[in-house]
Amino acid sequence: MGDSEGSHLNSPLLQKLADGGYLSIWNDYGLYGIVGAVILGLSIPLLLSGTIMGKKKGKQRGVQVEVGGEVGYAMRNRKSTELVEVPWEGATTMAALFEQSCKKHARGRFLGSRKLINKEVITGSGGRKFEMLHLGEYEWETYGETFDRACNFASGLVKLGHVKDSRAAIFSETRAEWLLAFQGCFRQNITIVTIYASLGEDALIHSLNETQVSTLICDFKQLKKLAALSSSLETIKHVIYFEEDETTIDSGISSNMSNWTVSSFLEVEKLGKESPIHPRLPSKTDIAVIMYTSGSAGLPKGVLMTHGNIVSTAAAVMTVIPRLGINDVYLAYLPLAHVFELAAETVMLSAGCAIGYGSAMTLTDSSNKIKKGTQGDASVLKPTLMAAVPAILDRVRDGVLKKVNEKGGAAKKLFNLGYKRRLAAIEGSWLGAWGLEKFLWDVIVFKKIHSILGGRIRGMLCGGAPLSRDTQRFINICVGAPIGQGYGLTETCAGAAFSEWDDTTVGRVGPPLPCCYIKLISWEEGGYLTSDKPMPRGEVVVGGFSITLGYFKNEAKTNEVYKVDENGMRWFYTGDIGMFHPDGCLEIIDRKKDIVKLQHGEYISLGKVEAALMSSNYVENIMVHANPFHSYCVALVVPSHQALEKWAQEAGIGYKNFPDLCQKDEALAEIKQSLSKVSKTAKLDKLEIPAKIKLLPDPWTPESGLVTAALKLKREQLKSKFKEELEKLYG
Ligand SMILES: *[C@@H]1O[C@H](CO)[C@@H](O)[C@H](O)[C@H]1NC(C)=O
Ligand SMILES: *[C@@H]1O[C@H](CO)[C@@H](O)[C@H](O)[C@H]1NC(C)=O
Ligand SMILES: *[C@@H]1O[C@H](CO)[C@@H](O)[C@H](O)[C@H]1NC(C)=O
Ligand SMILES: *[C@@H]1O[C@H](CO)[C@@H](O)[C@H](O)[C@H]1NC(C)=O
C-alpha cells in the first residue's frame, strides 16, 4: 500500500536547487572582525543575567476526534471543530478565489519581476560557459492589472482555437506568467497539466499524450526540445511560449513545428484583448490540475486535483501564518510544477500579498548567475516570507558553519557563544527566547546572516522532506525567524499537517491542518500500534477536503490507496508511519514499504539504516536489502570515487581503475569498517548492520533508471539489476 514515494513534496528540481551553486547563498557571510573582542566582553554579563523561567507549558494544538472509516486514532486541528473548506464564503474554486482577491486588492502590488539589464557570458575553467546576469529592480503589476491580463489570455486561448474541454499543459520555470497562464485557463474551465522539467523526455511525452494535451505553454528555451520531440507529441496543436530577450525562432526547428500554431504569450493576450470572450467558470468538483509526479517504479503518475482541493489547502494554511496580509512580500523561486510552491503562492494571492519572482540561481548577491557587484533577488525584494526545502536548508547550514570555521578566532568564539545562548533560550526559557538578549545577539552576530535574505524574513515555510532537527534549530537561530514545517503529499494537495509558528520544538510537523483529519491506523505486522505507549503510532491516513480524486487513468492504483468512508469523506493512505505527541502534533517516524521482516520475526527499517549508513563519507549510494529467509541484512554500496581513491593512495593500495579498486578485499574491509563505525554512532541494532556488502563502481542515476528523478531508490529495479550480486551476498 501507499506507493506514494516520489509524490512526496520532494522533487527533482528541488534537489537540483540544492545541488547547484545556489548554496553559495552564504558566501558573502563575512562577519565580525573588530567588534568581536568588545562584544565578547559585553556578552558575559548577559550570560549571567539570562532569564530562567523553565519551559513554557505545552500548548494543545490538536484534539482527538471521532471520524468515520477504518478504526484508528484521529486528530483534528484545535482551532476549528468543522473542517475548513474555503478561505471565505464564495471562494469555492481557484477562479472565484482569484477574481475576488483581485477585486478586493485591485490597487495592491501583486506580481513582481526583474528586468534584465545585461547579460555576460563568461568562459570558466574547462571551457564551460557561465551566464552572469545584471538584473534591475522589481517591476510590479497590481492585482487589478493581473486580473485583466488573465482574462485577456483566457479569451486569447479560445480565439486561438483551443478546443473546449481539451487540456493545456504548463512546462516552464517559475515566473509571473506561469501564474497568469494558470489563472487564465481556469477562466475557461481548462484543466492544467503540470510536469517537472527534470522528469525527462519520456515522462514528458507520456504525460502530454496520456492527458491528450492540445495547448502547451512553455519557456522560450523549451521550444527547441519540443521541436526535437514533435513527432511524438501527437496531440499538441498550439504552443504558447513566454517571451525572453531573444525571441527569434531558429529556422532549423520551425519546420518540425509546422503542425502547431506557435505564438508568444503577449500575442495571445493581445488577441484576447481585441476580442473578449465570456468566461466559462468551473465548479469546485471540476479538475483544476493534473500534476505529474515521479513514480518509484516506471512512468510518472498524474494526480487529479479539484478546485475544491486547492482552495481548501490554501484556506487552511492561511490560518497558520499569523498576521498574513497585504504587507507581506513573498519570494517565489521554487518550481510551481510542485504542489508545495503552488499551494504557497495560492495562499499568498488569497491574502493579497506581493509575490516577487526569482530563481535559485539568482537568489542572493553571491548566487551563481548574479554578476559580481550587483544584487540578488532577496536583496532587492526584501521578502518577509519564503518557502524552502530541507536539502537547501542543510547546505545553507553547512555553508555558514564552514565560513565560521574559516574565520576562526574571536569571530568563531563569538558565533558559538551567541548560538549557544540563543539555543538555550529557545529550548529553555520563553522570555529569553524573544527578549532583549535576542535583540542584542541578532545585532551582534546574526544580523549579517539575516541580511543575506534581505533582512526582513519573518517566517519560512518548509516542506518537501523531513528537516533534520539540527538544521531546523540552526536556521531558526541564524535567520531569526520561525520555520513552519509542513507535511503533505501531492495526493493530499500539499495540505496535511503544518507546525505552528510559536512551536519551538523540532523534528515534528505540527497538528493536522484545519482542512483535514489525520488518523493513525495500527499496522500489526510492522509492529506500530495506536495502543503503543507512550504515544500512539501507526500508518498516517489523511481525510478531508484536500484529498485529491486519485490518479489519472489508473483506477487500480487509486482504489489501493484512496478510500471513501460511510460519510462520503475521502481518505488517503500515505504509507508513512507517524506518531502523535500528547499536544496533537505529528511526527513522521518511518515508511511502510521500507520495513522488512527478518527470519526470526524482527523488523528492519531499510530507509532508517540507509540514512544512517549514508553518513559514512565512503558512501555515494547504498541499498540495504533484507528478506524473511535470512536473519541478517546485506547492502549494495556505490563508493565515493574521491574518498575511496584518496584512501587507496594513502594506504598504498595499487589498482588499475576504479572498478578494479572496488574488487579489492582491502577496499571492502575499509568500507565495512567505516559502516560499522557510523552504525555505532547512529545506535543501530546489531542485526541492522549489513553482514555483507558488495561494492559497485557505477553511480546510480535517474538516467540509469535505478533511482527516481528525486534520487530515491527504485528498489525493484535495483533488485532485478543486481540479482546475481545479491544472491552471492546471501550465498
Ligand atoms: C468544466 O469542464 C469539465 C470537462 O473538462 C466538465 O465536465 C464540467 O462540466 C465543466 N464545468 C462547468 C461548470 O461547466
Ligand atoms: C525534427 O524531428 C525529427 C523527428 O522527430 C528529429 O529527428 C529531428 O532532430 C528534429 N529536428 C530538429 C531541428 O529538432
Ligand atoms: C499515445 O497514446 C496512444 C493511446 O492513447 C498510444 O497508442 C500512442 O502510442 C501514444 N504515443 C506515444 C508517442 O506515446
Ligand atoms: C504533421 O502531422 C502529420 C499528420 O498527423 C504527420 O504525418 C507529420 O509527420 C507531422 N509533421 C511533423 C513535422 O511532426
Side-chain angles (χ1 to χ4, degrees), residues 233-478:
L233 304 175
E234 294 159 15
T235 62
I236 304 289
K237 301 214 160 44
H238 311 287
V239 173
I240 300 169
Y241 62 89
F242 300 135
E243 286 85 355
E244 256 145 57
D245 44 322
E246 63 215 294
T247 50
T248 39
I249 294 172
D250 198 313
S251 58
I253 63 174
S254 54
S255 67
N256 268 19
M257 301 196 295
S258 57
N259 283 354
W260 305 334
T261 66
V262 180
S263 340
S264 77
F265 189 79
L266 287 178
E267 283 163 7
V268 179
E269 267 188 87
K270 192 158 163 275
L271 199 62
K273 194 171 181 186
E274 284 159 2
S275 42
I277 306 263
H278 267 295
R280 196 171 147 258
L281 299 173
S283 70
K284 72 174 179 186
T285 53
D286 287 331
I287 311 283
V289 181
I290 303 179
M291 183 171 279
Y292 276 86
T293 72
S294 53
S296 54
L299 291 164
K301 300 170 294 190
V303 176
L304 300 167
M305 288 177 189
T306 64
H307 282 271
N309 293 149
I310 310 177
V311 297
S312 72
T313 292
V317 176
M318 283 175 82
T319 68
V320 179
I321 306 175
R323 303 182 313 278
L324 182 68
I326 54 169
N327 292 324
D328 277 307
V329 179
Y330 175 79
L331 175 50
Y333 68 101
L334 293 175
L336 266 165
H338 195 276
V339 71
F340 178 48
E341 179 66 18
L342 189 63
E345 290 190 29
T346 306
V347 169
M348 301 305 150
L349 88 83
S350 308
C353 311
I355 302 179
Y357 287 86
S359 81
M361 302 306 279
T362 58
L363 210 55
T364 71
D365 298 353
S366 57
S367 289
N368 275 14
K369 278 198 173 183
I370 288 292
K371 190 172 150 187
K372 262 217 151 45
T374 70
Q375 287 188 306
D377 305 330
S379 308
V380 181
L381 185 65
K382 298 190 169 33
T384 61
L385 298 168
M386 260 178 88
V389 290
I392 289 182
L393 298 179
D394 283 342
R395 311 262 163 132
V396 165
R397 168 174 182 267
D398 296 348
V400 172
L401 285 178
K402 195 169 148 229
K403 280 282 168 194
V404 169
N405 283 327
E406 278 169 9
K407 291 257 163 194
K412 182 171 167 185
K413 279 210 184 85
L414 183 64
F415 179 88
N416 287 340
L417 180 62
Y419 188 79
K420 256 197 219 125
R421 290 292 297 154
R422 294 292 309 127
L423 187 65
I426 290 180
E427 292 187 338
S429 107
W430 193 246
L431 200 67
W434 304 109
L436 174 68
E437 194 186 329
K438 172 181 190 305
F439 174 78
L440 286 174
W441 281 120
D442 280 350
V443 170
I444 299 163
V445 180
F446 302 112
K447 194 164 177 238
K448 177 87 190 188
I449 308 184
H450 299 183
S451 73
I452 295 168
L453 292 176
R456 289 207 307 156
I457 292 286
R458 70 178 187 93
M460 290 185 112
L461 321 178
C462 184
L467 178 62
S468 83
R469 290 156 193 263
D470 283 354
T471 303
Q472 186 173 354
R473 249 323 159 243
F474 192 88
I475 300 292
N476 255 182
I477 289 172
C478 291

Side-chain angles (χ1 to χ4, degrees), residues 126-298:
R128 268 186 70 193
K129 288 201 168 21
F130 298 92
E131 215 173 53
M132 302 297 267
L133 308 178
H134 180 193
L135 299 167
E137 290 295 311
Y138 273 86
E139 292 175 16
W140 294 94
E141 285 180 85
T142 64
Y143 273 82
E145 287 159 356
T146 304
F147 180 69
D148 292 341
R149 286 187 68 189
C151 292
N152 293 340
F153 181 70
S155 300
L157 272 176
V158 176
K159 199 72 196 159
L160 194 67
H162 178 90
V163 173
K164 195 175 127 185
D165 290 344
S166 68
R167 302 186 182 93
I170 306 184
F171 186 61
S172 152
E173 282 173 8
T174 293
R175 53 189 290 161
E177 289 80 4
W178 203 111
L179 203 67
L180 266 170
F182 188 67
Q183 294 293 350
C185 287
F186 295 150
R187 309 258 333 140
Q188 288 295 329
N189 184 23
I190 295 168
T191 297
I192 299 279
V193 176
T194 66
I195 306 142
Y196 317 139
S198 50
L199 284 184
E201 289 176 2
D202 289 345
L204 177 68
I205 293 169
H206 166 76
S207 324
L208 295 175
N209 188 43
E210 187 175 58
T211 50
Q212 305 268 298
V213 164
S214 70
T215 298
L216 179 58
I217 302 163
C218 66
D219 289 324
F220 181 75
K221 65 169 179 278
Q222 305 287 3
L223 285 178
K224 217 171 168 169
K225 183 184 209 165
L226 296 170
L229 302 175
S230 64
S231 58
S232 306
L233 304 175
E234 294 159 15
T235 62
I236 304 289
K237 301 214 160 44
H238 311 287
V239 173
I240 300 169
Y241 62 89
F242 300 135
E243 286 85 355
E244 256 145 57
D245 44 322
E246 63 215 294
T247 50
T248 39
I249 294 172
D250 198 313
S251 58
I253 63 174
S254 54
S255 67
N256 268 19
M257 301 196 295
S258 57
N259 283 354
W260 305 334
T261 66
V262 180
S263 340
S264 77
F265 189 79
L266 287 178
E267 283 163 7
V268 179
E269 267 188 87
K270 192 158 163 275
L271 199 62
K273 194 171 181 186
E274 284 159 2
S275 42
I277 306 263
H278 267 295
R280 196 171 147 258
L281 299 173
S283 70
K284 72 174 179 186
T285 53
D286 287 331
I287 311 283
V289 181
I290 303 179
M291 183 171 279
Y292 276 86
T293 72
S294 53
S296 54

Side-chain angles (χ1 to χ4, degrees), residues 490-502:
T490 312
E491 288 86 339
T492 63
C493 194
F498 207 92
S499 64
E500 291 171 4
W501 286 36
D502 63 348

Side-chain angles (χ1 to χ4, degrees), residues 705-716:
L706 297 174
V707 293
T708 68
L711 303 184
K712 291 187 183 181
L713 300 179
K714 290 188 173 179
R715 292 187 193 279
E716 292 311 315

